[in-house]
Amino acid sequence: MKKFKDVWETAANAVASGGVSMPSDASHAKKKKKKDVYDGRTKEGRKFVERILARRKASEAKKVKELEKGC
């Protein structure tokens, strides 16, 4: 019967050589946190919306400028 260390080394070598990956229960994946959605009624939310709209306007202006330059 193989010892735990031998089994672990063969699994590690298989992964290093592009073989079989580790079993799914061996990894400890953290649960991802859900990002809070901005509420437009709050002060923070209004500032966020203003930033988004300003970036959108600047992006559109940049596209128009590039089109005029290309013609």
Side-chain angles (χ1 to χ4, degrees):
M1 185 170 165
K2 290 185 178 181
K3 292 186 177 184
F4 178 76
K5 186 177 179 184
D6 296 333
V7 173
W8 190 260
E9 286 179 326
T10 56
N13 290 336
V15 170
S17 64
V20 180
S21 64
M22 295 296 291
S24 61
D25 57 76
S27 66
H28 299 284
K30 291 185 178 182
K31 187 175 182 182
K32 292 185 179 180
K33 291 183 180 180
K34 186 176 180 182
K35 290 189 176 183
D36 294 333
V37 177
Y38 283 98
D39 186 1
R41 297 172 290 183
T42 62
K43 186 176 183 179
E44 187 178 83
R46 286 191 298 268
K47 286 185 178 182
F48 174 73
V49 171
E50 287 177 15
R51 280 197 319 266
I52 297 298
L53 293 176
R55 290 183 73 188
R56 186 181 300 164
K57 188 176 180 182
S59 174
E60 289 175 2
K62 184 178 179 182
K63 287 179 185 177
V64 169
K65 187 176 179 183
E66 287 178 0
L67 287 176
E68 290 176 353
K69 187 178 182 181
C71 291

